[in-house]
Amino acid sequence: MRKFLKICGLLVVILLAGGFAGFYIWSQFTYDGTDQLEALVPIDEIDVVDNWLVLTPKEKAKGGIVLYPGAKVEPAAYRYYAQGLADAGYLVVIPQMTFNFAIFNQNIAEDVMEQYPEIDNWYVEGHSLGGVAASGFAYTHQEEIRGVILLGSYPADSTDFSDTDIPMLSLFAEHDGLSTPEKIEETKSLLSTDVLLHQIEGGNHAGFGMYGSQKGDNDATISVKEQQDEMIKTTTDWLNKYDEE
């Protein structure tokens, strides 16, 4: 009997190890930036600090933004959007996530904020699953951040902001096949009392970054650059509203 239990235990260990190995291999097949993105914002022009991409404004930063990437999306895929926010006066930090999933680094914003203590106003932002992680951080650190920005994303049921007035911006896309407009509508009750929802007509889920197409998504009817430019304008207009208060 003892020998049988040892064999069973060994089999469990082997299965767990095999499952982890499979997950790890799968997690490394990521969405990277496109050639178009490289032409617009060459990667070698972006600073890297502590395995984070850091985009710095030319003058003193109005505030800081920690951008949580979507699942299996490389941080570099968001650099056109992030550069637009930096050009508008904001320090933008895009961390590399463990196994390329932001849920494993939900509190990474705290590390970023400690790295740049000179910045007073901090926002957390996330795309898709990254938005879930960013919302989770915001929910437990409401006194430390200025607001939350969601890109094709929504909070988890456990992070219900409906009884708060924390500023929130939700950007969603007409043809998003993953965080669909219907899903955004269904989860609207989880957002705060101070929220702006903005639909990007013609946009899709992958268009919140610049990494090509994504399984399960729908085709966009506008170019990815058009979607990104609308994201930049809407986000900076929203940020300026709060930073001028």
Side-chain angles (χ1 to χ4, degrees):
M1 183 68 177
R2 188 174 296 173
K3 183 177 180 181
F4 173 75
L5 291 175
K6 285 184 178 179
I7 293 172
C8 288
L10 180 60
L11 286 173
V12 169
V13 171
I14 291 172
L15 289 171
L16 289 173
F20 173 76
F23 168 77
Y24 176 77
I25 292 170
W26 173 73
S27 72
Q28 301 310 298
F29 287 91
T30 56
Y31 297 97
D32 207 349
T34 61
D35 291 342
Q36 179 188 13
L37 174 56
E38 177 62 20
L40 291 167
V41 185
I43 190 62
D44 59 8
E45 294 182 1
I46 306 300
D47 293 331
V48 179
V49 178
D50 292 337
N51 210 28
W52 309 332
L53 294 187
V54 179
L55 296 97
T56 308
K58 294 179 179 178
E59 300 180 356
K60 182 180 177 181
K62 300 177 184 177
I65 301 168
V66 185
L67 201 168
Y68 289 60
K72 297 177 60 177
V73 182
E74 293 288 346
Y78 300 97
R79 65 185 187 270
Y80 179 81
Y81 171 65
Q83 184 63 63
L85 301 183
D87 290 343
Y90 294 87
L91 173 76
V92 184
V93 179
I94 317 174
Q96 180 71 53
M97 300 298 184
T98 302
F99 305 127
N100 299 302
F101 281 85
I103 55 173
F104 293 116
N105 301 97
Q106 179 169 294
N107 293 323
I108 192 70
E110 197 161 29
D111 296 335
V112 176
M113 291 161 65
E114 289 176 0
Q115 182 75 20
Y116 299 95
E118 70 277 10
I119 293 181
D120 295 323
N121 295 329
W122 281 100
Y123 300 84
V124 290
E125 175 171 21
H127 173 220
S128 195
L129 191 59
V132 177
S135 297
F137 176 82
Y139 190 76
T140 55
H141 297 78
Q142 294 183 35
E143 299 302 317
E144 300 169 41
I145 63 166
R146 183 74 162 143
V148 181
I149 304 166
L150 301 171
L151 305 176
S153 185
Y154 43 86
D157 292 340
S158 58
T159 52
D160 185 346
F161 290 87
S162 60
D163 61 350
T164 76
D165 61 357
I166 185 170
M168 302 185 81
L169 171 64
S170 173
L171 298 177
F172 61 104
E174 179 185 12
H175 300 304
D176 193 322
L178 300 174
S179 300
T180 63
E182 292 76 21
K183 191 64 179 178
I184 298 297
E185 179 65 27
E186 290 172 13
T187 57
K188 189 168 63 173
S189 61
L190 298 172
L191 303 178
S192 77
T193 57
D194 185 2
V195 61
L196 172 64
L197 290 104
H198 178 90
Q199 176 169 291
I200 299 177
E201 303 296 334
N204 67 358
H205 194 77
F208 286 109
M210 296 186 79
Y211 54 86
S213 60
Q214 185 169 0
K215 185 177 180 181
D217 201 8
N218 298 316
D219 292 335
T221 55
I222 60 174
S223 71
V224 66
K225 187 175 180 300
E226 287 175 311
Q227 179 164 341
Q228 294 273 306
D229 287 340
E230 185 170 342
M231 290 163 54
I232 292 168
K233 184 180 187 310
T234 305
T235 305
T236 53
D237 286 348
W238 180 83
L239 289 167
N240 288 334
K241 172 186 173 184
Y242 289 99
D243 287 334
E244 289 172 357
E245 290 181 353

